[in-house]
Amino acid sequence: MAALVEGQARPIRLADIAKAAGVSHGTASNVFSRPEIVRAEVRERVKAVAEAMGYAGPDPKGRLLRAGKVNAIGVCTTEPLSYFFDDPFARVMMAGISQACDATGAGIALVSAQNDEKLAWNIQSALVDGFILFCIEGGPRLVELTRERRLPFVALAIGFDDDTISMIGIDNIAGARLAARHLGELGHRRFAVLSLPFVDGSTGLVMPGRLGTALYTATRDRLAGYFEELARFGVDTTRVPVYETENEAATTRAGLEAIFASGEPPTAILAMSDRMAMVAIDWLTERGLNVPGDVSVVGFDGVPDGLLSRPQLTTIAQPIAEIGRRAARMILDFDGAVRREMLGVELVVRASTGPAKA
Amino acid sequence: MAALVEGQARPIRLADIAKAAGVSHGTASNVFSRPEIVRAEVRERVKAVAEAMGYAGPDPKGRLLRAGKVNAIGVCTTEPLSYFFDDPFARVMMAGISQACDATGAGIALVSAQNDEKLAWNIQSALVDGFILFCIEGGPRLVELTRERRLPFVALAIGFDDDTISMIGIDNIAGARLAARHLGELGHRRFAVLSLPFVDGSTGLVMPGRLGTALYTATRDRLAGYFEELARFGVDTTRVPVYETENEAATTRAGLEAIFASGEPPTAILAMSDRMAMVAIDWLTERGLNVPGDVSVVGFDGVPDGLLSRPQLTTIAQPIAEIGRRAARMILDFDGAVRREMLGVELVVRASTGPAKA
DNA sequence: CATTTTTCTTGGATCGATTCAAATATTGCT
DNA sequence: AGCAATATTTGAATCGATCCAAGAAAAATG
């Protein structure tokens, strides 16, 4: 008893079992990984020895090196890890990724880090077969670091142009047009836009000269889509205020203050995210303005939370879970090709939009 | 050019770089892992060669075997993977786990599987230093499988007694008493209990004889707590209907039907989870009953969704995120001891409870 | 220049398994 | 029993790195 128990300092290896059972390590390995090719008598003996010695089974660390494949995909972002569980958009996306992984038995490893150095290290050392990148912020850096790993990866919600990487995106221009057309058809003619950032860290009312300069394509395309469509309704888009926020409450509220400070307040707000749209609804309601009676609001994304806002949010819904599923499959079935998929979006009319006041 | 590029079929190894640069593999390794001990000139040469050959950096698979530590913890459940992103309780818990992991730079691997065989395999081969077990359902099996890995693990939300495993739990009895006392003090004397399962798969009104027989300790303790406290208010607990649900909408609704079918409907409902409590609120509202005017409802868990129900839910709040943080730390700082931590709960009075009708 | 220190580099051992061609045992059949 | 066919077992090679004792080179010292 003593010898074995004391040996617990050093975990038992397959080789120990083999020696104790008097078989080669090849056979011992077979007992665990291909039991059917081992003679029953030998198999039972080896298993008994393993049991008696407290062997934990073949260590995946060893197997991994030999096998090459990890059978897991890494999901990576520059946000803290809890982002995956807090953010509604991320959650639906992760649910989609989960489904694809569940279907093939692949695992999911969450990768993130506060600072650049740690992030680099975590990407370097993630035990995965490929990455899905959430390019919410710091996208280019994330891509750069991941590229060094030379593993397959897909970029999601990618804000910038780069034809050399696989990505799954949506047709932002079409989505934005859908939103604008909906409001135009309801008779609205005075608009304001709550915009996603043009570049990291800037915020405030966007001067007309900067309108085409957004670094992020999502921002640029959505703005372009809004304006193209508004122009068709005869709106003078140069007079539509565009406020750049950081896609969270504080800057969005600041934007609303700025927008409604002017003499001619809008009757409809085009928000580039559901998050901003819901902040807008709250803000308007607090101000005693009725949504949609006084002001209509359209969001963008189609997160499930939109159903919980009062009134329920009219929005441009992305197929978020489907994007996640496809991304996961793209990694799981990787074939060396760079793929760029563009999914359609959909106008979901709920209760936050209505006819313009006469 | 040709030779190297054609070699891409086989990924470049550190040894290849070493040979090409004319140094030993030991030195090549140092260039990447401890660059400061390599002479600058050599270091730059090796790096240049690595760059030229398209070396992706030391493969973590190799490093892992040598290092022994994975620096990641596995979170495991028998639910599908998407459970981690869908379920409100799980999400808050994961956020807590994430925080602890973020703080130490550890990664998170999600482990789950549809069937027992796959689950066993996934647990066997998870590349982690320890496990956190979500013992929602099939807890004993999960523990059994994990134990075979002989890695540290902590059980959460564990429903059964087993002193040999580490766990973090809450004082279910105290929590239940808090809920019952709150209602008793509001003057309620006619109660009904929406119960978590006694054993997997059973559901329906619980016959008095079975009341002490719940396999799951959470169920048993909460029930005991409710009854102890109700008895103090002079309630005849043998006449309090207890309906066993599967903690989801369908069986909870069936329970409510059964409970309100009797001649003497309760004025207060003790629900063993927020989920059931919120279903109850919806059901009662649909029936034209006012909450809390006609019927008060208390939940259990304290998930953030409770704030979104109308009226907002009165509940017994567990320190969910804290449980997650502690669990993660227990694995990260594992010292070989079996630890059992019991955290306190708190009555959070919101709007779903009020005085009993006169 | 010889000697001592200090700094780098080397190459074998190791982490824990799987694989596969070759060697050995069994079994079947005449 | 003899021999081919089939079933098992063996053990070296491999996966891709890190570690470390020992040797070599460079720098410092007298």
Side-chain angles (χ1 to χ4, degrees), chain B residues 78 147 176 315:
Chain B
T78 56
R147 191 173 253 145
T315 191

Side-chain angles (χ1 to χ4, degrees), chain A residues 66-88:
Chain A
R66 184 73 235 226
K69 274 245 166 240
V70 183
N71 198 32
I73 84 183
V75 186
C76 195
T77 173
T78 55
E79 308 284 320
L81 278 177
S82 57
Y83 168 79
F84 291 116
F85 305 99
D86 289 338
D87 185 82

Side-chain angles (χ1 to χ4, degrees), chain B residues 248-280:
Chain B
E248 39 65 76
T251 51
T252 301
R253 285 170 171 273
L256 290 158
E257 301 279 357
I259 288 165
F260 281 83
S262 81
E264 215 180 34
T267 65
I269 294 179
L270 290 155
M272 287 196 197
S273 77
D274 285 351
R275 197 166 189 176
M276 287 190 277
M278 289 191 287
V279 171

Side-chain angles (χ1 to χ4, degrees), chain A residues 122-135:
Chain A
N122 286 350
I123 292 180
Q124 293 268 329
S125 52
L127 292 159
V128 298
D129 300 317
F131 290 94
I132 293 178
L133 270 32
F134 269 55
C135 301

Side-chain angles (χ1 to χ4, degrees), chain A residues 24 29 45 49 64 72 78 102 118 127 144 147 161 167-168 173 201-202 205 221 238 277 290 298 319 323:
Chain A
S24 72
S29 173
R45 175 158 45 95
V49 170
L64 174 61
T78 55
D102 259 338
K118 285 212 164 197
L127 292 159
E144 184 186 348
R147 190 172 256 147
D161 281 318
M167 58 129 239
I168 300 182
I173 296 185
S202 88
L205 265 177
D221 289 351
T238 62
N290 181 268
V298 187
I323 293 175

Side-chain angles (χ1 to χ4, degrees), chain B residues 13-14 29 59 66:
Chain B
R13 306 186 320 289
L14 187 52
S29 173
D59 187 330
R66 185 72 236 230

Side-chain angles (χ1 to χ4, degrees), chain A residues 271-295:
Chain A
M272 287 194 196
S273 78
D274 285 351
R275 197 166 189 178
M276 288 189 277
M278 290 191 288
V279 171
I281 289 175
D282 286 346
W283 187 90
L284 292 164
T285 308
E286 285 165 20
R287 284 298 190 97
L289 290 166
N290 181 268
V291 178
D294 298 311
V295 183

